[in-house]
Amino acid sequence: MFINRPRILRASPAIRSMVQETSLLPQQLIVPLFIVEGENLQEEISSLPGYFRRSLDRTLDEAAVVYDLGIRSVLLFVKCPDERKDNRGTEALRADGLMQRAIRAIRQQVPGLLVMTDVALDPYSSYGHDGIVSGEEIVNDATVDVLARMAVSHAEAGAQFVAPSDMMDGRIGGIRRALEKAGHHQTGIMSYSAKYASCFYGPFRDALDSAPGFGDKKTYQMDPANRREAIKEVLLDVEEGADIVMIKPALSYLDIIREVRNEVTVPVSAYQVSGEYAMIKAAAQKGWVNEEQAILETTLSIRRAGADLIATYFAKELVRLCR
Ligand code: PBG
């Protein structure tokens, strides 16, 4: 007669910690930072309670704090003033634009930190779209040209990784070729490979004032109903030269994270997006879920699903919780 008692492995904190299959380390986290023009500014984002937009000087302080916690990378987003938005990404390409200045300053002040940058047109677009607009169309190839120039401009400023979040066809190849041509052989590409047309980006669009002015993003971001299409997008990006592939959002797409993890050999990251953060914050504020446990449970599940890296607004709290 065989007797099996699985609860033996759950009997005490000691044994539970010994047999824990998944863990979370500070260096597996990526911290999104929102930067605005100005000085000594730190504005709370109303739909992201406890999260801030900061001017560059305050961003540098934050980057140092993040580094001291053991986190090794930040993902930069900038807010572009309305009067500088257009349909060509002019502001995005300026060598002394806010993004380019931020990259240089962070590289100089916190040299150990890996600087990743968002490459997409929506914060700079008068239409709030991730590409150049013609009539009702988001034009693919002309957008890829601008994104490639944007990536080169970020690399020139010192970004070690560019992170295209636009979902245009062929942009990874376009960016890789442009980086090579400009002599940036060491710049990494973290591709938002499977990015879904999700309601969970709402608070982020508030943060950057980047909501689409007409229509939606369904002609470029993916249909939440689709699974095989995610694999197709990821494999194309790897072929075109992506170093890291990303799935976004995270919690509603754990199955996609797992399938992608099984399919490719490159590191897989997942973005726990603004709406995922906001939901936990709101429920915790109401006293309906325990915030710390919700943070740990969701991020551990993202890791368990197969993500090597997680971009999350909870990164700092997580480091403290995992100590
Ligand atoms: C834009 C971009 C978005 C996010 C990251 N880059 C929003 C969008 O596609 O509309 C969302 C991040 C988040 O919600 O936390 N290219």
Side-chain angles (χ1 to χ4, degrees):
M1 223 224 337
F2 299 103
I3 299 181
N4 207 326
R5 293 205 171 271
R7 286 182 58 193
I8 287 171
L9 295 183
R10 300 180 217 130
S12 68
I15 189 66
R16 286 197 297 272
S17 70
M18 288 168 72
V19 301
Q20 186 174 21
E21 296 176 37
T22 308
S23 61
L24 208 57
L25 299 168
Q27 62 268 32
Q28 293 161 341
L29 301 171
I30 300 168
V31 181
L33 292 178
F34 298 116
I35 312 172
V36 290
E37 298 278 8
E39 256 172 64
N40 198 26
L41 293 177
Q42 174 162 303
E43 318 162 341
E44 189 169 19
I45 301 156
S46 57
S47 48
L48 287 177
Y51 218 79
F52 300 89
R53 272 182 303 249
R54 298 183 181 83
S55 51
L56 182 48
D57 50 349
R58 298 292 286 270
T59 301
L60 295 176
D61 299 340
E62 182 66 6
V65 168
V66 157
Y67 185 75
D68 287 342
L69 283 170
I71 295 168
R72 290 294 171 258
S73 69
V74 289
L75 178 57
L76 307 185
F77 297 92
V78 302
K79 184 168 188 292
C80 177
D82 273 347
E83 63 275 13
R84 294 201 213 143
K85 294 182 182 182
D86 63 20
N87 191 25
R88 284 173 296 143
T90 308
E91 181 65 18
L93 298 171
R94 270 180 47 206
D96 62 344
L98 182 56
M99 175 64 93
Q100 290 79 355
R101 276 180 280 138
I103 298 165
R104 280 192 291 269
I106 296 172
R107 286 298 314 276
Q108 192 179 20
Q109 295 266 320
V110 196
L113 199 59
L114 194 87
V115 174
M116 300 177 143
T117 60
D118 186 64
V119 173
L121 284 178
D122 52 327
Y124 304 97
S125 160
S126 37
Y127 294 101
H129 273 290
D130 291 44
I132 291 171
V133 175
S134 171
E136 297 274 285
E137 192 190 341
I138 316 303
V139 183
N140 195 88
D141 296 3
T143 300
V144 171
D145 287 343
V146 178
L147 295 173
R149 285 160 60 204
M150 201 170 158
V152 168
S153 156
H154 294 181
E156 240 140 52
Q160 293 105 323
F161 266 80
V162 291
S165 66
D166 56 289
M167 290 299 281
M168 295 300 123
D169 293 340
R171 90 272 207 221
I172 301 304
I175 289 173
R176 178 57 81 201
R177 282 189 295 276
L179 288 171
E180 286 290 328
K181 203 168 154 207
H184 297 292
H185 311 295
Q186 311 274 359
T187 309
I189 304 177
M190 177 169 77
S191 174
Y192 290 65
S193 299
K195 177 171 177 177
Y196 287 87
S198 169
C199 72
F200 296 114
Y201 307 147
F204 173 97
R205 293 176 188 171
D206 290 345
L208 293 187
D209 185 22
S210 62
F214 71 88
D216 52 40
K217 298 192 174 186
K218 290 180 183 169
T219 69
Y220 42 108
Q221 298 180 351
M222 286 176 46
D223 183 341
N226 291 357
R227 187 171 54 81
R228 294 187 311 261
E229 192 182 4
I231 306 298
K232 170 172 132 185
E233 286 284 1
V234 164
L235 291 178
L236 279 171
D237 284 359
V238 171
E239 204 176 285
E240 291 175 34
D243 300 283
I244 300 174
V245 293
M246 187 188 273
I247 316 301
K248 175 186 179 178
L251 205 53
S252 300
Y253 301 89
L254 294 179
D255 56 329
I256 309 297
I257 296 173
R258 169 48 54 190
E259 291 222 24
V260 168
R261 175 63 295 163
N262 291 345
E263 200 73 34
V264 298
T265 55
V266 298
V268 173
S269 66
Y271 199 140
Q272 183 176 45
V273 300
S274 57
E276 299 180 68
Y277 173 96
M279 280 197 295
I280 291 174
K281 282 285 180 184
Q285 261 166 20
K286 292 236 178 214
W288 292 345
V289 297
N290 177 290
E291 181 170 339
E292 294 187 349
Q293 287 167 15
I295 295 172
L296 277 172
E297 190 172 331
T298 50
T299 47
L300 263 181
S301 71
I302 295 165
R303 287 268 301 140
R304 190 198 63 233
D308 303 290
L309 304 169
I310 306 178
T312 173
Y313 303 99
F314 289 124
K316 279 166 49 182
E317 283 95 322
L318 264 173
V319 174
R320 295 188 187 109
L321 290 174
C322 290
R323 273 195 177 141

